Amino acid sequence: MMNEEPIKEIQEEIPAENKETPKKCCDKKQCTLTTISILALVGVIVLFVLFFLPKKNTIENTPPKSIDNVTFAFVNTDTIWEKYDFVLDVQVDLANLEKIYQNQYATAVSNFQKEYNDYLKKGTAGLLSLNEQKATEEKLTKKQQGISEMEAQLSQKLMEAKTAKNQEVHDTIVHHIARYNKSKNYTFIFEKSFGGGLLFANEALDITNDILTGLNKEYEEINKAKKAEATKE
């Protein structure tokens, strides 16, 4: 009963104006500023949640897996490119292709030279009229331009053939190493070559002979299979 009187007194001291219904905002500018302030406050809260609250263990912030036993090996690719049978055959094929292109170009140049010499002989002997000389010169000029274009095209085709073959050899080596490592389980297999990034490696880590032997064995089997198919046909 002692606590009732103070409560009543407090209630009586509350000003009557606080019980009035809040007035609507008549100033549009002031209402707009109030809305912007609220939005800004919400933005601050969102930023606080994003940057300061503890994050869940997602893929991005998951620590990398540790490797207990790290093992290394290296392959001398200079040796591979010198002794891999597939590389030797590719070099022969590319050399033959280059000879074919050179012969095509040489034949075109030789034919042009004959026509040009013939034109000079006839012109010197006075066997050509002015119109014939002009027509022959235009013809020879077009042929000369064609020979220059032919040279550029053959060079481009040869370069593309070399790039494609080198890529094929590279892919064959890399794929074989991947298959080889399924049973060896090396953590890293480095490439050692002249001018490469690997400056020194213990010879005990050298697996070049294993890789070279495996590559040549696979290539031999592929060639045998191709010959067998050709015989059936």
Side-chain angles (χ1 to χ4, degrees), residues 4-15:
E4 291 181 359
E5 294 181 358
I7 292 175
K8 291 181 179 179
E9 293 178 358
I10 292 173
Q11 289 178 345
E12 292 176 354
E13 292 177 359
I14 296 175

Side-chain angles (χ1 to χ4, degrees), residues 51-69:
F51 289 97
F52 295 99
L53 291 183
K55 298 180 180 179
K56 295 182 180 180
N57 193 20
T58 59
I59 296 175
E60 289 77 6
N61 59 31
T62 301
K65 295 180 180 179
S66 60
I67 302 175
D68 296 331
N69 298 320

